[in-house]
Amino acid sequence: MKKRSVLYASAYEYFAGLDARREPIWESDPARMRPIFTDRAPSQPDCHGVCPSLRTTFVEVVYDRAIRRYIAVAQGQFVGQTSFYDAPQPWGPWTVLAYNNVDPASGSGGWANLGTQGGYSLGVHVVNAWTSSDGLTLWMIYSSDGKAPRGALFPPEGTALDSFNLVSARLIPRTPNDAAP
């Protein structure tokens, strides 16, 4: 696509699934568009309004050039419902790096043990410019409308999360001899 075409819908192509050889199919008709990710987490009927089904969607996908993988952040309603995935291509196949949800009964747990008290998520984003040169240390920013509860792994208890929150994560590559979790 030429730079001048970015404003014209007719210039776009959409991912429409994979062919028999597992190669991507591209279509100009947006009605034929297919998702690159589907969260198949079971629904949680016993949640009583505390934590809706995690059924997350990708907030973003970034490319980690050093490890030649796409890293996706998936987000539920609460910041504690943040999960991370990776794939060799933007259309997958996606593997789970970390899958986080809050406990339906107590509203605790989840990413960084933020639970529902961590508040509604305003997004967790990988800052690609701050990724280490080996691609294994990622920096993420996030915000919400809650406070860090007692027992939060980060930030300190009581910290208002409606702020610039920065956290790093270190990816540990699996060797061929490692068993899948």
Side-chain angles (χ1 to χ4, degrees):
M1 174 188 310
K2 294 181 181 179
K3 287 181 185 181
R4 290 175 282 190
S5 302
V6 74
L7 299 176
Y8 300 101
S10 61
Y12 286 83
E13 289 186 331
Y14 303 90
F15 177 74
L18 299 172
D19 66 16
R21 294 175 300 163
R22 311 284 304 155
E23 294 293 324
I25 301 167
W26 300 100
E27 295 282 346
S28 58
D29 179 3
R32 299 194 51 140
M33 181 173 37
R34 297 291 174 260
I36 62 167
F37 170 81
T38 302
D39 187 350
R40 301 194 189 286
S43 63
Q44 298 175 11
D46 299 337
C47 231
H48 307 293
V50 175
C51 55
S53 171
L54 182 54
R55 298 223 181 243
T56 57
T57 57
F58 284 170
V59 175
E60 70 181 10
V61 177
V62 297
Y63 184 64
D64 187 331
R65 181 173 300 187
I67 62 172
R68 298 181 6 217
R69 303 287 290 184
Y70 290 85
I71 308 291
V73 179
Q75 189 67 62
Q77 184 175 2
F78 295 99
V79 72
Q81 294 175 303
T82 303
S83 295
F84 305 91
Y85 302 84
D86 79 310
Q89 301 292 337
W91 47 84
W94 293 97
T95 56
V96 177
L97 295 174
Y99 193 85
N100 302 287
N101 199 1
V102 297
D103 181 88
S106 67
S108 65
W111 184 57
N113 200 30
L114 293 173
T116 57
Q117 289 182 42
Y120 293 103
S121 180
L122 301 177
V124 175
H125 305 279
V126 175
V127 182
N128 229 12
W130 297 344
T131 298
S132 64
S133 60
D134 67 0
L136 299 177
T137 300
L138 307 176
W139 286 91
M140 295 166 278
I141 59 171
Y142 67 96
S143 187
S144 79
D145 64 354
K147 289 188 174 189
R150 168 176 255 134
L153 299 177
F154 56 82
E157 175 183 337
T159 301
L161 299 179
D162 184 14
S163 57
F164 179 86
N165 295 287
L166 180 64
V167 64
S168 69
R170 181 82 179 154
L171 301 176
I172 301 170
R174 219 182 263 173
T175 65
N177 296 329
D178 289 343

